[in-house]
Amino acid sequence: RDRAGVLVMNWIVAGLIIFSFASPGAVVGASYSIGGAGLIAGPILCIVMTLATNAGAWMLLQIKLAHPNVHSFPAAGELTFGRGGRFMGQLIQLTNFLLYQPIAILLCGSGVQGVISPTGCLDYFIVPVAILCLLITQARTLKNTTAMAYLCVLCVIVMAVMQVIFTFVWPKNHQDATYGKASLFGNPQLNHGPTSTAQNKGFIKLMLGVTTTVWGYVPTFLAVELTNAMDKPSDFAKSLWLSGFMNIVMYVGVGLPVVANWGWMVEDPINIVMPWTCHATGAPSRIWSALMFIANMVAYALSSIALSQACQQAWAPNFSNNWNLADCLKWLAITLPAWIFSLIASLVVPGLFIMLAWMTAITVPWTLYVYPAIIYWKFRLMGQRGGEQTRLMQSVEELDCGETGNGTPANRARDHSLVFGLTVLGVLAFITCAVGAVGKSVYADLHAPLTLGCGSWTVHISPPSAPSPPAQSCAQLYPGA
């Protein structure tokens, strides 16, 4: 707490929250990304995208430091482009938060299923898990999620270590030809003929691998909101370095050994590959599933709290935010619409991971790269008009970067390079993610069967896939499983 007794966070906690926001999903998809992009190209892409994403968040930080009254991502757009800027900020940020929540509930349900009944029906676990997710949203503010962030980071770290260990204790059997040796750049399917369906699928897997690096680290979504809760907002740059370093270490530290040991055609999520499913009922797999449940529940809380705060500002701007019964019921009512949508979507929408691919293309590149670059460019133009704005910007630069003013040629060159580079990267990322989403939608073997329900009451939206191998195949390929 600060001297006034208000709860605040330091830069370390802010960095952990940034990491916790997407890492529960990224840790189960890092291997798939490196398998599709290549053992060398995958880590390079991760490093480049992480640094570029941090650059976009740094741009928002400069606006926040110069204008402390900017309290949200859309408000930064309103400062520079008026109502249109605010609308676009709300559209891309809140759409992402809303559409991610059904996927988080699904992952939480999958985690509980893996603990209780790995071969059972997932739908049976969705409703109770969704109720827990609703309860955790009642934390109300990101400042109240500090303990959750620590817990989530711990879970993700243990999940990552366990994945690597599993590749050694559950090695790919030489008789299992499903997974092949990875390439350094791209994947082996790209080497098929130019009109080969296999090559087309290899290209889509490359695009999907890049897509994972795009959505796997997204500090821009919470950059402004987190600085509101920090005791020293200028330290947010340190939060970006911390979270970015953790993201790269997790991505490379998990992806490389898993792909090296299990081959490039691993799945997303990782726990549906053959070596894993053959050991799904064992204690190690159940423990890992429990950690996945906890981590994804925290990720749900972070996105749902940010979304609920936006709803509260629109629907109940005079909300007193006390902890009496009346205010608790008001906050519950505010959070219910998004929760009801998420629960229904997680139960009745087939192919939620296809929706994730499309959601990434539609919202993430614009939020991470293009939108911050454009509003930062306008912010700098506003500063060149002189007066108080220039003075504020100069003081911000001197404090945060040790620089001596906005008008120097070095600063202008830096700004032009950042704005141009992020805008181009954002457009390229959108094209890449969109191509990956199209391919994931078109090729049936790149997504799970589109069904509603499970067991005897399964409704097939798409034609059912070929029957799974008989149970004894695990015993043949992995004796003792």
Side-chain angles (χ1 to χ4, degrees):
R1 296 180 182 273
D2 62 13
R3 294 180 180 178
V6 177
L7 190 67
V8 293
M9 68 174 65
N10 58 35
W11 64 268
I12 296 176
V13 174
L16 296 181
I17 290 177
I18 293 171
F19 179 74
S20 301
F21 187 66
S23 61
V27 73
V28 301
S31 304
Y32 179 86
S33 178
I34 286 185
L39 294 173
I40 293 180
I44 291 175
L45 281 169
C46 175
I47 294 171
V48 170
M49 302 306 257
T50 300
L51 293 176
T53 303
N54 275 353
W58 176 87
M59 290 176 170
L60 295 179
L61 173 63
Q62 306 313 302
I63 298 175
K64 171 65 178 179
L65 294 177
H67 293 273
N69 60 324
V70 172
H71 295 306
S72 67
F73 181 79
E78 184 177 24
L79 171 73
T80 51
F81 286 97
R83 291 184 178 180
R86 183 177 187 85
F87 172 77
M88 289 305 301
Q90 289 175 324
L91 182 64
I92 55 179
Q93 183 194 43
L94 301 184
T95 298
N96 181 278
F97 288 163
L98 180 63
L99 296 182
Y100 172 73
Q101 290 183 30
I103 298 164
I105 290 178
L106 188 71
L107 290 173
C108 289
S110 178
V112 175
Q113 179 196 25
V115 175
I116 299 175
S117 178
T119 60
C121 179
L122 174 60
D123 286 5
Y124 296 152
F125 302 95
I126 293 295
V127 174
V129 160
I131 293 174
L132 291 176
C133 289
L134 175 64
L135 293 177
I136 203 171
T137 306
Q138 307 312 304
R140 295 190 191 175
T141 67
L142 294 175
K143 290 185 292 186
N144 294 334
T145 63
T146 299
M148 297 183 203
Y150 282 118
L151 180 60
C152 180
V153 170
L154 177 62
C155 290
V156 169
I157 291 173
V158 177
M159 287 171 65
V161 173
M162 291 181 72
Q163 283 185 57
V164 175
I165 293 175
F166 290 165
T167 65
F168 290 96
V169 298
W170 302 336
K172 180 187 69 172
N173 190 285
H174 70 279
Q175 300 178 48
D176 184 6
T178 305
Y179 315 104
K181 185 177 180 181
S183 301
L184 298 180
F185 295 90
N187 58 72
Q189 280 189 327
L190 291 172
N191 298 325
H192 291 262
T195 59
S196 167
T197 300
Q199 186 187 50
N200 293 338
K201 292 180 180 179
F203 179 73
I204 296 300
K205 289 178 180 178
L206 171 61
M207 298 295 100
L208 291 172
V210 177
T211 299
T212 301
T213 65
V214 172
W215 65 255
Y217 179 66
V218 288
T220 308
F221 278 100
L222 296 177
V224 180
E225 289 78 1
L226 282 174
T227 56
N228 292 329
M230 293 180 66
D231 56 345
K232 191 177 180 182
S234 59
D235 279 347
F236 187 70
K238 299 178 183 178
S239 305
L240 295 175
W241 283 112
L242 172 63
S243 57
F245 174 77
M246 293 175 67
N247 178 65
I248 293 171
V249 170
M250 178 203 71
Y251 185 93
V252 177
V254 172
L256 286 181
V258 170
V259 172
N261 287 339
W262 277 353
W264 77 275
M265 288 189 68
V266 292
E267 303 290 346
D268 183 11
I270 186 66
N271 60 332
I272 62 174
V273 299
M274 176 67 80
W276 198 304
T277 56
C278 286
H279 299 83
T281 58
S285 179
R286 292 177 188 267
I287 293 172
W288 187 91
S289 296
L291 297 173
M292 184 175 78
F293 159 66
I294 296 171
N296 279 281
M297 190 164 62
V298 174
Y300 176 92
L302 294 176
S303 64
S304 64
I305 287 173
L307 176 61
S308 298
Q309 286 180 324
C311 294
Q312 175 261 308
Q313 292 167 8
W315 300 340
N318 297 321
F319 180 65
S320 58
N321 198 27
N322 293 317
W323 291 98
N324 54 49
L325 179 60
D327 280 358
C328 289
L329 291 176
K330 288 179 183 177
W331 184 261
L332 177 63
I334 290 170
T335 60
L336 275 177
W339 177 81
I340 292 172
F341 166 82
S342 302
L343 173 60
I344 294 174
S346 62
L347 288 171
V348 305
V349 175
L352 274 176
F353 285 96
I354 296 177
M355 186 180 78
L356 173 63
W358 282 107
M359 178 195 71
T360 300
I362 294 170
T363 64
V364 177
W366 310 105
T367 307
L368 299 187
Y369 313 117
V370 179
Y371 186 83
I374 291 176
I375 64 174
Y376 181 76
W377 166 75
K378 183 64 178 294
F379 168 69
R380 287 310 196 190
L381 288 182
M382 293 164 57
Q384 292 173 7
R385 296 169 185 169
E388 181 69 9
Q389 173 67 22
T390 298
R391 187 190 69 78
L392 280 170
M393 288 168 55
Q394 290 176 347
S395 66
V396 166
E397 289 178 342
E398 291 167 2
L399 174 67
D400 190 54
C401 304
E403 297 167 349
T404 57
N406 177 59
T408 64
N411 285 345
R412 288 197 298 269
R414 177 203 63 192
D415 292 344
H416 293 162
S417 299
L418 283 175
V419 169
F420 177 78
L422 283 191
T423 302
V424 172
L425 180 62
V427 173
L428 292 176
F430 164 71
I431 295 172
T432 299
C433 295
V435 171
V438 171
K440 195 174 185 69
S441 304
V442 170
Y443 291 112
D445 54 344
L446 294 184
H447 61 252
L450 302 182
T451 61
L452 294 177
C454 54
S456 60
W457 47 284
T458 300
V459 178
H460 292 278
I461 307 301
S462 62
S465 56
S468 301
Q472 62 265 27
S473 64
C474 280
Q476 294 171 349
L477 294 174
Y478 306 99

